Amino acid sequence: MAAPKVAVVGAGVIGLSTALCIVETCPSCSVAVLSDQFSPNTTSDVAAGMLIPHTYPGTPIHLQKQWFKETFSYLFSISNSAEASEAGIHLISGWQIFKNTPKEELPFWSDVVLGFRSMSEAELQKFPQHRFGQAFTTLKCDCPPYLLWLEKRLKAIGVQMYTRKVADLWELHSEYNVVVNCAGIGAHQLVGDESLFPVRGQVLKVHAPWVKNFIRDGDGSTYIYPGIYKVTLGGTREKDSWSLSPDPGTTKDIFDRCCSLEPSLQGAQDIKVKVGLRPSRWCVRLQREVLSQGGAKLMVVHNYGHGAGGFSMHRGTAKEAARLVGECIAALQGSSSRAKL
Ligand code: FAD
């Protein structure tokens, strides 16, 4: 069989990292990324890019922990390299605070992040309305630089990038041996997945370089995440809303909530508003499928539905998707050598 041809549909953090893992695990493959949008116009560009996992109710916790650990280790090594600033990856310390002690005092990821501990009474004095808190150090991606860094790496190893809207995965069957679906919320239409729904998020990106620590209200509704250049203030979680238009009332509400946690943000400047649709479902769809029409077959691997945790889990799920692509290629090679006998 000639070099297997693999198409990855989607150029958000999931598509780009999956394409990279495929080349790393199958250097003989010819890989292309096809997407109707690239950075800076994807949901991944809007994200805060914090490595704090969101829990998927339909995925076993040990698997979620493995994906997070793999992602954390990968980005930790980038943060310790000369590439860190170009890739937009940095360590960040801060606090997750609660008005009441949470049911689960120790989240599953507490031994993956660095230095996880309960906050001291002295630290809690900064947040008079909160009674409990956790302090830790994690990693943050500045999302557009990280996506551009991934694109640059892919181009350097010969991956082709095409701007193309795919109406139906089957349209790729004559050009590619394996198709990987990393279309994010676009998979709702692309593969008719009714269990995939948007959770709209509005955030503000502001200039406030004196804010150095992250602050996250434990339920995830209000957060302050400092990046290399901008601080992300959030947020909202609006299930089933497809609107990409910023809402001015929500902007004011987010700003007020964040100022109540960090009053110095009153001096923030250059406020930009962004909206993104988290591609949410019960669990990440990470599986193989064989499409067939009139005797012809197309191997597909799905990797979408990362909801609020795409950055936190991307490397782990990309590795698993690449392993599934390897299984597809082995099956194709097996059937082509049987056909020659
Ligand atoms: P996308 O980035 O949407 O990429 C999908 C790609 O597929 C796009 O390139 C699109 O153009 C392409 N596409 C879609 N349909 C088609 C088609 N038919 N043909 C061709 N191309 C197609 N996660 C974290 O881990 N940490 C955070 O701090 C965090 N903060 C967030 C804050 C907000 C406000 C939001 C909205 C999300 C946040 N997330 C966070 C979640 C994270 O952004 C997502 O989980 C992640 O971006 C999903 O990546 P993706 O590549 O699947 O989707």
Side-chain angles (χ1 to χ4, degrees):
M1 186 184 166
K5 294 184 76 179
V6 181
V8 176
V9 179
V13 69
I14 302 302
L16 297 178
S17 57
T18 300
L20 191 57
C21 281
I22 295 169
V23 180
E24 284 168 6
T25 53
C26 177
S28 65
C29 288
S30 154
V31 180
V33 174
L34 320 181
S35 192
D36 60 348
Q37 298 289 346
F38 286 81
S39 182
N41 300 317
T42 69
T43 304
S44 300
D45 287 279
V46 175
M50 284 291 285
L51 265 71
I52 300 180
H54 141 96
T55 306
Y56 305 102
T59 304
I61 289 291
H62 73 89
L63 208 51
Q64 298 188 51
K65 184 163 180 177
Q66 180 191 321
W67 295 341
F68 181 56
K69 217 170 169 173
E70 286 169 346
T71 307
F72 196 94
S73 313
Y74 178 70
L75 293 181
F76 189 46
S77 62
I78 297 175
S79 79
N80 284 334
S81 77
E83 304 268 308
S85 111
E86 189 188 345
I89 309 296
H90 63 107
L91 283 165
I92 179 159
S93 300
W95 304 286
Q96 170 157 269
I97 51 176
F98 300 83
K99 293 209 165 95
N100 298 302
T101 309
K103 265 190 252 141
E104 193 192 37
E105 277 194 34
L106 223 49
F108 74 82
W109 43 266
S110 60
D111 60 348
V112 179
V113 297
L114 309 177
F116 187 95
R117 60 175 173 80
S118 293
M119 281 168 71
S120 67
E121 286 302 321
E123 283 171 303
L124 276 167
Q125 279 174 20
K126 180 169 168 57
F127 307 104
Q129 297 183 359
H130 294 75
R131 302 219 324 244
F132 179 82
Q134 298 154 339
F136 54 93
T137 298
T138 187
L139 288 151
K140 184 181 179 306
C141 305
D142 268 24
C143 302
Y146 183 54
L147 297 173
L148 289 179
W149 181 82
L150 286 171
E151 275 187 34
K152 190 173 156 189
R153 294 199 67 180
L154 289 169
K155 285 178 188 159
I157 52 179
V159 172
Q160 302 290 319
M161 308 273 176
Y162 299 106
T163 302
R164 170 168 170 180
K165 182 166 175 83
V166 179
D168 183 334
L169 295 178
W170 186 256
E171 77 187 50
L172 303 173
H173 90 278
S174 56
E175 296 166 74
Y176 297 96
N177 304 108
V178 183
V179 171
V180 190
N181 172 13
C182 302
I185 195 65
H188 187 267
Q189 196 180 5
L190 181 61
V191 294
D193 184 345
E194 293 290 330
S195 66
L196 181 68
F197 56 92
V199 175
R200 180 182 181 278
Q202 181 166 323
V203 287
L204 319 183
K205 306 266 176 178
V206 307
H207 184 71
W210 60 90
V211 178
K212 304 287 186 202
N213 293 94
F214 75 81
I215 301 170
R216 179 180 197 269
D217 207 327
D219 62 6
S221 56
T222 304
Y223 50 81
I224 299 165
Y225 292 147
I228 298 174
Y229 305 108
K230 295 273 176 183
V231 183
T232 304
L233 310 184
T236 64
R237 289 183 181 210
E238 296 154 74
K239 190 169 178 251
D240 290 325
S241 169
W242 289 90
S243 169
L244 283 170
S245 308
D247 176 73
T250 306
T251 300
K252 182 176 176 329
D253 179 50
I254 293 171
F255 193 70
D256 290 348
R257 278 189 275 133
C258 289
C259 286
S260 79
L261 294 179
E262 180 54 69
S264 71
L265 282 169
Q266 293 287 359
Q269 289 181 338
D270 190 21
I271 299 172
K272 301 240 162 40
V273 186
K274 303 269 178 195
V275 176
L277 305 179
R278 300 176 181 91
S280 304
R281 72 201 291 285
W282 167 252
C283 60
V284 177
R285 185 171 183 200
L286 197 39
Q287 62 180 191
R288 283 171 61 182
E289 187 182 16
V290 181
L291 303 181
S292 52
Q293 274 187 32
K297 287 190 182 349
L298 175 66
M299 300 273 198
V300 172
V301 172
H302 298 284
N303 184 13
Y304 67 84
H306 294 70
F311 278 86
S312 307
M313 301 290 182
H314 71 280
R315 180 72 186 185
T317 57
K319 279 178 80 168
E320 175 59 10
R323 193 187 66 73
L324 295 175
V325 169
E327 283 183 5
C328 293
I329 290 167
L332 287 167
Q333 284 167 339
S335 60
S336 86
S337 51
R338 273 194 302 278
K340 283 187 198 139
L341 291 176

